[in-house]
Amino acid sequence: MTQEVLTQEEGGILIITINRPEAKNAMTKAASEAIAAALDRLDAEDHLRVGILTGAGGTFCSGMDLKGFLKGERPSVEGRGFGGLTEQKPAKPLIAAVEGYALAGGLELMIACDLVVANSKAKFGIPEAKRGLAAAAGGLMVLPDLIPHKVAMELALTGDFITAQRAYELGMINRITEGDALSAAKELAASITANGPTAVRVSKQIMEESRGWALEERYAKQAELLPQVFMSADAREGSLAFAEKRTPNWTGK
């Protein structure tokens, strides 16, 4: 039986590939569990610094496998959400590399990632309403936090698609490439792995968690997390490397 999710390491990057090209990478329960396991590995192994989530065969993910849905299957992991990701993100950065379509649950997987690189011909949408369904894995709640509310409302109520250029203009994606999205995502990942791992992890944590902090508590809550950065060996190494005009030797400590 073909593996529904493949993983590959490359220079501190863990590439996670949804491998159901014959079904436009529609998400199944097995694939969700495999993605969750890969993300656990990303966080657990110190030499892995950044993850990339992509799809095989020229499509990112077309959403939930409707054949499985009709049989009563739900492509989620308890406590982790759709695709093993939408309700619990990894502590380390995760980049979506999008080719073809990121639709329905596929778009929800994409917006659960921290950064997005897409091919210029990619298409995006939450067309669940066209099937009598709703974008319940973040499309209705997370998307309005990322793009203008009325635009998110239009996407949800019409189910229409938008282009990569429009998604870029809205701030839904970070970079557009004329080449393959995975190569461009690797370049973006390399610019992250060049930095201090603790600084990257804690910066992501603060940016994610501070969205829910009360304004008057923000600096106090940030101050609770920052000592692990500023008192680390890497903070000293980074300063020394700058003074000595050399590349830092990060240890993650």
Side-chain angles (χ1 to χ4, degrees), residues 210-219 221:
S210 63
R211 297 167 73 183
W213 294 345
L215 287 175
E216 64 274 14
E217 296 178 340
R218 284 186 171 183
Y219 279 96
K221 286 185 173 294

Side-chain angles (χ1 to χ4, degrees), residues 53-175:
L53 180 64
T54 193
T59 295
F60 181 68
C61 176
S62 59
M64 174 174 63
D65 186 289
L66 293 178
K67 293 180 181 178
F69 171 74
L70 291 173
K71 296 176 182 177
E73 180 182 277
R74 296 295 182 270
S76 300
V77 176
E78 186 173 357
R80 307 289 288 263
F82 180 87
L85 169 62
T86 58
E87 293 178 28
Q88 182 181 319
K89 301 180 183 183
K92 295 176 183 175
L94 183 63
I95 302 170
V98 180
E99 302 276 355
Y101 293 97
L103 302 177
L107 182 120
E108 292 167 313
L109 279 179
M110 183 192 88
I111 63 175
C113 295
D114 301 298
L115 302 168
V116 182
V117 175
N119 178 269
S120 62
K121 294 181 175 62
K123 297 289 193 300
F124 308 86
I126 43 174
E128 281 89 341
K130 292 180 181 292
R131 301 289 179 266
L133 302 169
L140 303 180
M141 297 182 294
V142 178
L143 193 57
D145 290 339
L146 302 178
I147 65 175
H149 185 272
K150 291 189 183 300
V151 178
M153 185 72 78
E154 181 179 347
L155 290 175
L157 301 187
T158 66
D160 291 343
F161 301 171
I162 59 173
T163 64
Q165 183 60 40
R166 178 61 170 151
Y168 177 77
E169 292 167 355
L170 291 167
M172 190 187 298
I173 65 178
N174 296 85
R175 299 183 182 182

Side-chain angles (χ1 to χ4, degrees), residues 7-10 12-14 37-51 91-92 197 201 251-252:
T7 58
Q8 176 185 349
E9 290 185 30
E10 190 172 314
I13 303 166
L14 182 64
L39 295 176
D40 284 343
R41 177 184 169 194
L42 172 65
D43 278 345
E45 298 184 14
D46 290 342
H47 70 283
L48 296 174
R49 306 276 298 283
V50 179
K92 295 176 183 175
R201 177 179 55 78
T251 63

